[in-house]
Amino acid sequence: MRNGPLRILFTSAGRRVELAQCFRAAASRRDVSCEIHACDLDPELSPACQTADARFVVPKCTDPSYVGILQEYCRTRSIDLLVPTIDPELPPLAAARDDFAEAGTFVHVSCAETIDIVRDKQKTIEALAASGVPVPRTASVEEARHSSGAWPFPAFIKPSGGSASRGIGILQGPEDFRGKYDEPMIVQEFLRGPEYTVNVYVDRNGKLLSAVPHIRLSVRAGEVEKGRTERNPAFWEIAERVVSALPGPRGAMCFQLIVDPEKGPRVFEINARFGGGYPLADHAGARFAESLLADLLGQPECASNEWRDGVTMLRYDAAVFDG
């Protein structure tokens, strides 16, 4: 029997109120108490921080002191589990996850080699293609510019290390290339058709336990606003290949694909963390959060493919009041 609550820290917590609620519910199903901690640049203006049991301020995740501040907090507060929520913090946390583990905190992050791949969209496409995953034609902006006569337009352009739909655009023709870009960019063939997110869970042995696709009916700021779970055996096969393409995936991840009516499904991005649409998979019965907690408690992981098809999520704005 465990003494005391499970202490869970959400970093860059922002608006992840729903994600924290998933973990509270998972702890309740495991019959253990749960204490939610959260941090952000300005915790007083973060809904997730405001609804947590404890909150604190941190610098940007690119600050050299970021990891050290988290380690000290985890040590003094006896944090059991640290859950990152944005892509830029994954590399420093992956590099330090063994140090956290020695101090008693499990960081929900894949190995550094996996993070290095998924944080670079060009490397992602190359790794997926080598594993037999269907991917869109992709090139660096320089390669696409020099072969513009052979490159099919329109085409997508996006930062190689971007996230949350930052910096994406559409090139109608070679004349739309800018003379210079502020960061590495890639160009991908333009895909048409419905877009899906597939939430997957990989156990501590690297085995895929669950893959829950949802169609993205409506998106806001790169995050699903309206979605519906949709069971498709072809997506499970793709998920197996995605997992095999990575050297050390662990826990909850998600990837995005478009089902083009002519080319078929094409995977174009991986997020090696809980995605913004995970609450839909959780409500459908995916149990990823509960599986992580079970593992922490020394119990068998419980994520599986016994989830409900056709579950719809319709998000709306809510307010958190303080004072």
Side-chain angles (χ1 to χ4, degrees):
M1 191 74 176
R2 180 184 175 85
N3 293 322
L6 272 173
R7 295 182 175 89
I8 306 171
L9 169 60
F10 293 90
T11 56
S12 303
R15 299 184 301 165
R16 302 293 191 196
V17 176
E18 294 171 312
L19 181 59
Q21 290 172 339
C22 290
F23 275 84
R24 287 191 190 276
S28 178
R29 289 193 295 270
R30 287 283 148 174
D31 198 26
V32 295
S33 58
C34 176
E35 191 174 278
I36 298 295
H37 297 243
C39 64
D40 211 312
L41 285 170
D42 191 347
E44 299 307 312
L45 296 180
S46 160
C49 287
Q50 288 292 325
T51 58
D53 300 306
R55 60 184 182 268
F56 65 103
V57 65
V58 290
K60 289 185 177 180
C61 62
T62 53
D63 190 292
S65 67
Y66 181 71
V67 169
I69 290 172
L70 293 180
Q71 288 175 324
E72 178 64 15
Y73 187 89
C74 290
R75 184 186 64 81
T76 58
R77 299 300 185 95
S78 299
I79 299 298
D80 297 291
L81 172 65
L82 185 154
V83 181
T85 66
I86 62 173
D87 294 324
E89 63 184 343
L90 298 180
L93 289 174
R97 69 175 187 171
D98 290 342
D99 295 331
F100 278 95
E102 288 179 6
T105 300
F106 174 71
V107 180
H108 175 254
V109 67
S110 297
C111 73
E113 292 80 8
T114 286
I115 300 304
D116 179 63
I117 291 172
V118 302
R119 288 293 294 135
D120 185 315
K121 290 181 172 57
Q122 183 73 50
K123 289 182 180 179
T124 297
I125 293 298
E126 292 170 357
L128 292 178
S131 189
V133 177
V135 295
R137 179 181 175 184
T138 303
S140 70
V141 70
E142 293 80 11
E143 292 170 335
R145 191 200 308 272
H146 293 145
S147 64
S148 58
W151 189 269
F153 290 98
F156 278 114
I157 186 168
K158 62 183 73 173
S160 185
S163 61
S165 297
R166 177 183 63 82
I168 67 172
I170 297 178
L171 303 172
Q172 297 296 340
E175 67 278 1
D176 288 341
F177 284 115
R178 285 163 42 188
K180 184 179 180 181
Y181 292 91
D182 296 332
E183 59 184 315
M185 305 289 286
I186 63 167
V187 178
Q188 291 184 325
E189 64 178 328
F190 189 86
L191 299 174
R192 297 172 174 82
E195 184 175 339
Y196 291 82
T197 293
V198 183
N199 286 282
V200 301
Y201 187 88
V202 182
D203 71 9
R204 62 165 47 245
N205 298 314
K207 180 181 179 181
L208 176 66
L209 297 185
S210 181
V212 187
H214 66 252
I215 186 170
R216 293 160 65 93
L217 299 171
S218 175
V219 177
R220 180 169 61 173
E223 191 169 290
V224 63
E225 184 179 43
K226 301 174 185 179
R228 180 177 300 118
T229 58
E230 188 173 307
R231 193 176 291 276
N232 185 328
F235 290 172
W236 173 265
E237 296 177 9
I238 292 173
E240 288 184 313
R241 291 182 180 272
V242 169
V243 171
S244 69
L246 302 174
R250 175 68 176 98
M253 307 174 65
C254 64
F255 62 89
Q256 290 174 243
L257 61 84
I258 289 176
V259 182
D260 188 282
E262 297 179 359
K263 303 177 179 70
R266 292 291 185 271
V267 177
F268 60 90
E269 186 166 320
I270 303 174
N271 296 307
R273 54 173 171 78
F274 279 97
Y278 169 72
L280 171 55
D282 190 89
H283 184 78
R287 301 174 72 186
F288 294 3
E290 186 179 350
S291 202
L292 275 179
L293 298 189
D295 190 47
L296 282 176
L297 295 168
Q299 301 166 1
E301 296 183 71
C302 58
S304 75
N305 259 348
E306 298 302 317
W307 49 272
R308 300 190 305 281
D309 188 16
V311 177
T312 301
M313 175 179 71
L314 306 175
R315 278 180 161 151
Y316 64 96
D317 291 328
V320 173
F321 299 96
D322 181 35

